[in-house]
Amino acid sequence: MKVDGSCHCGAIRFEAEIDPDKVRVCHCTDCQQLSGTAFRVVAPCPEQQFHLLRGTPRIYIKTAESGRHRQQAFCADCGSALYATSDEPAGARSLGLRVGVLAQRAELVPKRQFWVKSALPWLPALPGVAVGDNG
């Protein structure tokens, strides 16, 4: 599925090709803190299927609990989170596009959820969304 997105202020625009059946919810504490809310919805995208149309994201390197480094891409002007990826050389990485910045967000229904052990206790069950491996 072809998608397009932008940051809130429009300084960064992009397009990408994703598999809508791989959209997922992440409840990890990093996603909670970085998004400022209870969880984040992510659409995986092969790096070679992501194309910047305008602007250049700023990159913040986050060290996960596992010790792995994750690049968090965002707009330096408005702060919109755009994607995250591994801190490895460019080429074969997968980008976790932030569904909230995609124009097609209403069509991208999550199929799985991960890190459910970190889910906030006041959240209701998400109907129709399976629990993944690190749930």
Side-chain angles (χ1 to χ4, degrees):
M1 173 180 184
K2 186 173 182 173
V3 295
D4 62 285
S6 68
C7 64
H8 192 258
C9 72
I12 299 175
R13 295 194 54 75
F14 63 89
E15 61 185 17
E17 192 74 32
I18 65 162
D19 180 347
D21 290 331
K22 293 186 177 180
V23 173
R24 61 186 185 252
V25 171
C26 184
H27 294 279
C28 80
T29 56
D30 283 345
C31 280
Q32 290 172 4
Q33 192 169 22
L34 287 165
S35 69
T37 190
F39 55 82
R40 188 185 315 253
V41 183
V42 178
C45 173
E47 186 174 26
Q48 49 282 54
Q49 297 297 318
F50 176 84
H51 306 285
L52 277 171
L53 303 174
R54 177 177 32 199
T56 302
R58 182 149 182 209
I59 304 294
Y60 162 68
I61 305 294
K62 168 66 174 97
T63 303
E65 289 180 29
S66 66
R68 292 179 53 203
H69 292 156
R70 300 282 298 159
Q71 293 185 18
Q72 306 289 328
F74 63 98
C75 174
D77 293 332
C78 68
S80 296
L82 303 168
Y83 64 83
T85 190
S86 61
D87 191 27
E88 298 167 350
R93 300 178 296 192
S94 177
L95 307 181
L97 302 181
R98 304 329 191 184
V99 169
V101 298
L102 299 176
Q104 299 77 13
R105 61 186 161 267
E107 302 167 43
L108 299 172
V109 179
K111 302 287 192 287
R112 298 186 70 72
Q113 56 186 324
F114 296 90
W115 295 101
V116 176
K117 64 185 175 191
S118 300
L120 297 176
W122 47 262
L123 277 176
L126 298 175
V129 183
V131 174
D133 295 334
N134 36 354

